Amino acid sequence: MITSVNWISDLPLLATAAESEYAPFVLAGVLLSLVIIYLAGKLGGELSKMMDLPPVLGELLGGVVVGISALHLLVFPDSGVIASESVVITTLKFMGNLTPEAVTAIFSSQSESISILAELGVIVLLFEIGLESDLQELKKVGYQAAIVAVVGVIAPFTAGTVGLIFLFHIPVIPAVFTGAALTATSIGITSKVLSELGYLKSKEGQIIVGAAIIDDVLGIIVLAVVASLAKTGEVDIVNVIYLIVSATIFLVGSILLSKFFNKSFVFIADKLQTRGKLVIPAFIFAFFMAFLANAIHLEAILGAFAAGLVLDETDKRKELDQQVVPIADILVPIFFVTVGAKVDLGVLNPMASEDREGLIIAIFLLIVAICGKLITGWSVFGQQGINRFAIGCGMIPRGEVGLVFAGISEASGILEKPLQAAIIIMVISTTFLAPPLLRQALKEISSEVKENADIS
Amino acid sequence: MITSVNWISDLPLLATAAESEYAPFVLAGVLLSLVIIYLAGKLGGELSKMMDLPPVLGELLGGVVVGISALHLLVFPDSGVIASESVVITTLKFMGNLTPEAVTAIFSSQSESISILAELGVIVLLFEIGLESDLQELKKVGYQAAIVAVVGVIAPFTAGTVGLIFLFHIPVIPAVFTGAALTATSIGITSKVLSELGYLKSKEGQIIVGAAIIDDVLGIIVLAVVASLAKTGEVDIVNVIYLIVSATIFLVGSILLSKFFNKSFVFIADKLQTRGKLVIPAFIFAFFMAFLANAIHLEAILGAFAAGLVLDETDKRKELDQQVVPIADILVPIFFVTVGAKVDLGVLNPMASEDREGLIIAIFLLIVAICGKLITGWSVFGQQGINRFAIGCGMIPRGEVGLVFAGISEASGILEKPLQAAIIIMVISTTFLAPPLLRQALKEISSEVKENADIS
């Protein structure tokens, strides 16, 4: 019959035959890295939980243990590590006869894939935080919470930035970025302590929770602005105003258009018949908003957060929430463990004299982080007898959003390693310190209430 | 206070500052690609569903439309495309002032990330198929189904491979690979037609469903063997035996150890307190098994499938199933759309004389695919009056596993484009043809049953 032997060889050759050849090794490297990430994250998270701390802290510490600071199971070329120092790559070398070029190419491809998965993780995290932040609830807590939030953003931001510039002679851009990392309160740990002690519905509890939510929003706007400043590398006042205005318009605009988005979303989700009929349109929206925010020079996570806030208002919310949870469960730990793995705590070795400056900066940041939030309690007005110390303590823990700053700075190379490590130490320390302080502060209320009860 | 300005510059510079600089563009490219993938997949899937065809077919065709064959919205460097031909990259160029080197680097990183996501998609798909295949059910359908399955694997495999080698002078390795792609039956579409017409519990229905499940298992073993052969590039009989034995031991071994795995899994999942307590251990297991299969030179998907089969036996199964569904919903379409996008149907243009050979091969494959399965009906023994034609028709559609072959061949560069395109056309055509043929065949049973009823 037909006997042309050459029809295949007439076609253009595959452009990246070399890459294809390594493909199984890259995949093996990604799979092994994911196994390490999940094991470290889960072990750390569970240990953290046992000690009554938020699991995210354990995921971060799990990352530190498997990362560049200790076991070298999960390392990245942008930390200045070479392929042969990676335990994953060494394992892959046992599997096949790899040339040194192949090893470098595989290490770079594998690391890039894990980094993209981590970035998708933080996008899904912010989408989920958006879904869980109730706009209606936010409107109720009102002015008191808003003032506490604004003071709690401005005070540590100003003190941190000014201190870094004048005391430590850090250049303006990294100083502003680090100052910004001091702003966002983590709602998770505080609300857990409040609910344990039965104070979630108290005046203090309501103000803290409301302020923490507003803080998240302000923190993400601040992040979008400073990260964008860092890209251009100069602080241009016109640019700062453009960024603040565009970030605010982006967020407020999405919220104002949320009725329209919501109706379209519900309409489309109701029409669809195939699998993923809720979660796929939601992710199309979230990823598109993330892309849009990125395209107008803000941060992708701002878009994902806005998408979450918007879809939170639909009657599909509960069902969507439920389906986003397992997706977040497998993607978000990749982000936190990776952030931990990339932090080189070795740069803050107290034994090495050249590292002491970094350690002193870490201590400075911690003091600013605590004092900058403690004073928020005294910004509350018109509330006689309110426990101002408890409100201040409740605002201390930094969590997810603070780590998001560290992660973004890593991805964009804004901060030098010691500053990055100092931020991580600040986040970890505030999270450890807040629960005992808050418990102490709330005991004071208890005894006051008791005294009042005794008098009456 | 401390006034050293140089402590930061003393540290080693970031190794890949250039990569970091492009990072936001790579992320933007990945996000935009995912939006395109989800839109194409969902639109295609829904249209397919409306026409009573399986959604996966629509996802594949959606991929063809946005891919290299048509719109160029989703293209990959390994298809011989350059960066400027990608609509996503052109969009990114509008966002920032990118140098040609930056564009090439971003295109390559973005494509690699999407390819890894697609590979994770097919791993999750096979894990899910494993979770849904009930081992107990498989034991019940017994010998009849096993014989139908084995004949349905051997007949098209042999006819396809021998035909390609002797009629079309295709080299042995691609011929064996293409022959293997003809083996696996898609259970989805057939069981849907059977249940629509109320024949799922009939003798014919039971045999078809049982045979299709066994087919999947055999197909995945065949895939693991031939893909591994393709890597070494030569058919060495010792190697073939090693691969068949190791694939079988791997699968049977996992099943035999499943009691142990299951008890450990349930024990661990019960102990865990934090989020993802079911899904994270399950994915650790699945990804580790996938890595292990890869490490012993089989395919990663075999490991994921084995992990699914094993965890299917636990009492956590239902809960786990529920949580894996949304994860599969967002990852699996990336695989199918990407497979479609990478297929260049242009290489089978009937107008171009040099492409006709490819078209003729596609027609040959389709005939082998249909006849090779039709004859399985006549391998059933000891069943008087059974509808042999209906059983044969039920085995015709190729689906997910056939596409997995096309995807794997793409990733490893085994097949030239016309053969790849011919496989895709074979999968699409069998899926379109099977439902009307099966409906016709089952109508024959209906009238036979009626006649028998009339006589008695």
Side-chain angles (χ1 to χ4, degrees):
Chain A
M1 283 180 82
I2 298 140
T3 49
S4 121
V5 197
N6 290 322
W7 67 277
I8 279 178
S9 57
D10 290 344
L11 289 158
L13 273 169
L14 286 182
T16 49
E19 272 178 276
S20 296
E21 198 186 312
Y22 303 151
F25 290 100
V26 175
L27 179 63
V30 169
L31 289 171
L32 197 54
S33 302
L34 288 176
V35 169
I36 292 166
I37 287 172
Y38 290 148
L39 280 175
K42 206 87 215 101
L43 275 174
E46 289 292 329
L47 286 175
S48 212
K49 175 96 183 174
M50 280 179 198
M51 292 187 289
D52 243 355
L53 290 163
V56 61
L57 199 64
E59 290 180 358
L60 183 75
L61 289 173
V64 171
V65 170
V66 296
I68 183 154
S69 301
L71 298 180
H72 275 232
L73 291 169
L74 186 70
V75 287
F76 294 83
D78 44 358
S79 316
V81 172
I82 56 166
S84 59
E85 293 176 62
S86 154
V87 176
V88 168
I89 296 292
T90 312
T91 313
L92 295 184
K93 268 203 265 183
F94 275 102
M95 283 167 52
N97 243 334
L98 298 172
T99 63
E101 296 79 51
V103 165
T104 309
I106 292 166
F107 183 45
S108 147
S109 295
Q110 170 222 308
S111 303
E112 199 151 48
S113 299
I114 294 291
S115 298
I116 284 287
L117 284 171
E119 296 203 60
L120 292 179
V122 68
I123 286 173
V124 172
L125 171 71
L126 270 284
F127 179 55
E128 204 189 15
I129 294 180
L131 272 181
E132 281 167 7
S133 319
D134 192 331
L135 280 179
Q136 304 310 322
E137 202 67 28
L138 215 67
K139 284 178 194 154
K140 268 189 270 170
V141 288
Y143 289 111
Q144 299 285 0
I147 288 168
V148 168
V150 170
V151 170
V153 166
I154 291 175
F157 176 68
T158 315
T161 308
V162 171
L164 286 173
I165 293 174
F166 289 99
L167 298 181
F168 300 97
H169 305 277
I170 305 283
V172 175
I173 296 270
V176 168
F177 198 91
T178 311
L182 295 168
T183 57
T185 303
S186 162
I187 177 74
I189 186 153
T190 296
S191 62
K192 201 173 145 285
V193 174
L194 288 171
S195 84
E196 266 173 25
L197 301 178
Y199 281 99
L200 202 53
K201 297 284 160 201
S202 71
K203 191 117 229 159
E204 287 85 358
Q206 288 286 298
I207 291 178
I208 294 171
V209 172
I213 297 172
I214 300 172
D215 243 19
D216 263 1
V217 179
L218 292 177
I220 291 162
I221 293 180
V222 170
L223 174 63
V225 172
V226 296
S228 187
L229 279 183
K231 273 178 220 160
T232 62
E234 52 188 53
V235 186
D236 168 8
I237 191 73
V238 178
N239 194 22
V240 172
I241 294 172
Y242 159 78
L243 289 170
I244 295 179
V245 171
S246 64
T248 312
I249 288 180
F250 187 86
L251 208 55
V252 175
S254 329
I255 293 169
L256 290 180
L257 284 173
S258 65
K259 270 227 172 69
F260 165 73
F261 285 134
N262 281 332
K263 275 192 189 146
S264 319
F265 176 73
V266 172
F267 178 79
I268 291 168
D270 280 339
K271 289 270 176 213
L272 298 182
Q273 299 291 323
T274 57
R275 272 187 61 166
K277 59 184 180 170
L278 203 56
V279 82
I280 288 284
F283 272 78
I284 290 177
F285 185 55
F287 285 167
F288 182 72
M289 292 286 277
F291 168 74
L292 207 64
N294 196 320
I296 60 170
H297 300 285
L298 299 168
E299 283 295 306
I301 52 168
L302 181 72
F305 180 69
L309 276 184
V310 166
L311 294 188
D312 174 47
E313 302 286 289
T314 67
D315 52 353
K316 301 269 180 203
R317 176 202 168 155
K318 224 183 135 189
E319 208 184 324
L320 181 60
D321 256 5
Q322 243 171 18
Q323 296 186 13
V324 172
V325 166
I327 297 170
D329 284 348
I330 63 154
L331 285 176
V332 176
I334 304 177
F335 173 72
F336 287 121
V337 174
T338 304
V339 169
K342 285 182 174 178
V343 176
D344 191 353
L345 289 186
V347 299
L348 297 184
N349 177 7
M351 295 302 140
S353 60
E354 71 272 20
D355 291 347
R356 270 185 215 134
E357 173 106 11
L359 260 186
I360 294 171
I361 292 183
I363 294 167
F364 167 75
L365 288 187
L366 182 58
I367 294 171
V368 172
I370 293 175
C371 299
K373 291 289 182 183
L374 269 183
I375 62 161
T376 60
W378 281 266
S379 68
V380 179
F381 60 93
Q383 296 284 345
Q384 280 285 310
I386 198 157
N387 189 326
R388 294 173 188 278
F389 184 57
I391 291 178
C393 290
M395 301 291 289
I396 288 176
R398 311 303 199 277
E400 292 81 349
V401 178
L403 295 178
V404 169
F405 272 81
I408 299 277
S409 78
E410 168 64 49
S412 59
I414 301 166
L415 298 183
E416 299 294 331
K417 282 158 188 295
L419 266 184
Q420 242 177 58
I423 292 179
I424 299 281
I425 287 181
M426 178 275 294
V427 170
I428 294 176
S429 309
T430 52
T431 312
F432 272 102
L433 285 172
L437 278 174
L438 186 59
R439 282 201 187 93
Q440 194 55 42
L442 288 173
K443 269 183 206 144
E444 285 177 27
I445 310 191
S446 302
S447 39
E448 275 170 35
V449 173
K450 231 178 166 182
E451 274 168 33
N452 290 346
D454 286 351
I455 292 163
S456 65
Chain B
M1 284 175 83
I2 299 138
T3 47
S4 122
V5 197
N6 289 322
W7 67 277
I8 278 178
S9 57
D10 289 345
L11 290 157
L13 272 169
L14 288 182
T16 50
E19 273 178 275
S20 297
E21 197 186 312
Y22 303 151
F25 290 99
V26 175
L27 178 63
V30 169
L31 289 172
L32 196 55
S33 303
L34 288 176
V35 169
I36 292 166
I37 287 172
Y38 290 147
L39 279 175
K42 207 85 215 104
L43 275 175
E46 290 292 327
L47 287 174
S48 211
K49 175 95 183 175
M50 281 178 197
M51 292 186 288
D52 243 355
L53 290 163
V56 60
L57 200 64
E59 290 179 359
L60 183 74
L61 290 172
V64 171
V65 171
V66 295
I68 184 154
S69 301
L71 297 182
H72 277 231
L73 290 170
L74 186 70
V75 287
F76 294 83
D78 44 358
S79 316
V81 173
I82 58 166
S84 59
E85 293 176 63
S86 153
V87 176
V88 169
I89 296 291
T90 312
T91 312
L92 295 184
K93 268 202 265 182
F94 275 103
M95 281 168 52
N97 242 335
L98 297 173
T99 62
E101 295 80 50
V103 165
T104 309
I106 293 167
F107 183 45
S108 145
S109 295
Q110 169 222 306
S111 302
E112 199 151 49
S113 299
I114 294 290
S115 298
I116 284 286
L117 284 171
E119 296 202 61
L120 292 179
V122 68
I123 286 173
V124 172
L125 171 72
L126 270 284
F127 179 56
E128 205 190 14
I129 294 179
L131 273 181
E132 282 166 6
S133 319
D134 192 331
L135 281 178
Q136 304 310 321
E137 201 69 26
L138 214 67
K139 283 178 194 154
K140 269 189 268 171
V141 289
Y143 290 112
Q144 299 285 359
I147 288 167
V148 168
V150 170
V151 170
V153 165
I154 291 175
F157 176 68
T158 315
T161 307
V162 171
L164 287 172
I165 294 174
F166 290 99
L167 299 180
F168 300 96
H169 305 275
I170 304 282
V172 174
I173 295 270
V176 167
F177 198 91
T178 310
L182 294 168
T183 58
T185 303
S186 163
I187 177 72
I189 187 155
T190 297
S191 61
K192 200 174 146 285
V193 174
L194 288 172
S195 84
E196 265 173 25
L197 299 178
Y199 280 99
L200 202 54
K201 298 284 160 199
S202 71
K203 191 117 232 157
E204 286 87 357
Q206 289 286 295
I207 291 177
I208 293 172
V209 172
I213 296 173
I214 300 172
D215 242 20
D216 263 0
V217 179
L218 292 177
I220 291 163
I221 293 179
V222 170
L223 174 63
V225 172
V226 297
S228 187
L229 278 183
K231 273 178 222 162
T232 62
E234 52 188 54
V235 185
D236 167 8
I237 191 72
V238 178
N239 195 22
V240 171
I241 292 171
Y242 160 77
L243 288 170
I244 293 178
V245 170
S246 63
T248 312
I249 288 180
F250 187 87
L251 208 55
V252 175
S254 332
I255 293 169
L256 290 180
L257 284 173
S258 65
K259 269 228 171 70
F260 166 73
F261 286 135
N262 281 332
K263 274 192 189 147
S264 320
F265 175 74
V266 172
F267 178 78
I268 291 168
D270 280 339
K271 290 269 176 211
L272 298 182
Q273 299 290 324
T274 56
R275 273 187 59 167
K277 60 184 178 169
L278 202 57
V279 82
I280 288 284
F283 272 78
I284 290 176
F285 185 55
F287 286 166
F288 182 72
M289 291 286 278
F291 168 75
L292 208 65
N294 196 319
I296 59 170
H297 300 285
L298 298 168
E299 283 295 304
I301 51 168
L302 181 72
F305 180 70
L309 276 183
V310 166
L311 294 188
D312 174 47
E313 301 286 289
T314 68
D315 52 352
K316 301 270 179 202
R317 176 202 169 156
K318 225 184 134 191
E319 209 184 323
L320 181 59
D321 257 7
Q322 243 170 18
Q323 296 186 13
V324 172
V325 165
I327 297 169
D329 284 348
I330 64 153
L331 285 175
V332 177
I334 304 176
F335 173 72
F336 287 121
V337 174
T338 304
V339 169
K342 285 182 173 178
V343 176
D344 191 353
L345 289 186
V347 299
L348 297 183
N349 177 7
M351 295 302 141
S353 61
E354 72 273 19
D355 291 346
R356 267 181 219 138
E357 173 105 11
L359 260 187
I360 293 170
I361 292 184
I363 294 166
F364 167 76
L365 287 187
L366 182 57
I367 293 170
V368 172
I370 293 175
C371 299
K373 290 290 182 182
L374 269 184
I375 62 160
T376 60
W378 280 266
S379 69
V380 179
F381 60 93
Q383 297 283 345
Q384 281 284 311
I386 198 155
N387 188 328
R388 295 173 187 279
F389 182 57
I391 291 178
C393 290
M395 300 290 290
I396 288 176
R398 310 305 199 277
E400 291 80 349
V401 178
L403 295 178
V404 168
F405 272 82
I408 299 277
S409 78
E410 169 62 49
S412 58
I414 301 166
L415 299 183
E416 299 293 331
K417 283 159 190 294
L419 267 184
Q420 242 179 61
I423 291 179
I424 298 282
I425 288 180
M426 178 276 294
V427 170
I428 295 176
S429 310
T430 51
T431 313
F432 271 101
L433 284 173
L437 277 175
L438 186 59
R439 284 202 187 93
Q440 193 55 41
L442 288 173
K443 269 183 206 143
E444 283 176 30
I445 309 191
S446 302
S447 40
E448 275 171 34
V449 172
K450 230 180 170 182
E451 274 168 34
N452 290 346
D454 287 351
I455 293 163
S456 65

